[in-house]
């Protein structure tokens, strides 16, 4: 039987990475968001945001669409149903691990106070 601490290493690393978790959490609160909004809300640089969006899109967790408003290019991102499911599962896993960690007691002398 593994400890909650060992289970932390089993979390979905694609979703758990802080920048991607921030992006997906922001997208979960809306139907879609444009690139500038995501940059502002996450504090990521253009390059970092682009890289993380590409990684999430390649995994099928978000869709990225590009169009023009007049002559100005606009990039929008939205969670896919799979992305919403993975994000919800990730938050459930974190909450479960938090509860287990609070209840956990070391079975051996190393963890005694």
């Amino acid at each position: 039987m593994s400890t909650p601490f060992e289970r932390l290493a089993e979390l979905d690393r694609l979703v758990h990475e802080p920048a991607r978790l921030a992006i997906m959490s922001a997208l979960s609160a809306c139907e879609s968001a444009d690139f500038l909004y995501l940059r502002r809300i996450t504090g990521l640089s253009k390059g970092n945001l682009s890289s993380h969006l590409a990684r999430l899109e390649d995994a099928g967790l978000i869709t990225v669409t590009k169009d023009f408003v007049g002559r100005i290019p606009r990039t929008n991102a939205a969670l896919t149903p799979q992305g919403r499911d993975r994000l919800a599962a990730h938050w459930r896993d974190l909450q479960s691990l938090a509860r287990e960690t609070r209840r956990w007691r070391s079975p051996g002398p190393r963890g005694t106070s």
Side-chain angles (χ1 to χ4, degrees), residues 50-108:
S50 291
S51 174
H52 289 298
L53 289 176
R55 186 101 188 257
L56 291 168
E57 183 179 34
D58 290 346
L61 301 183
I62 67 168
T63 58
V64 175
T65 56
K66 298 179 184 228
D67 60 3
F68 285 87
V69 177
R71 294 179 184 219
I72 300 169
R74 182 178 59 186
T75 300
N76 281 305
L79 281 177
T80 62
Q82 178 188 5
R84 286 192 185 278
D85 291 346
R86 290 258 302 261
L87 180 62
H90 186 71
W91 284 119
R92 279 192 307 273
D93 289 346
L94 285 175
Q95 290 169 343
S96 173
L97 284 168
R99 282 190 303 275
E100 289 176 37
T101 300
R102 286 190 296 272
R103 291 190 307 257
W104 187 80
R105 297 290 179 257
S106 175

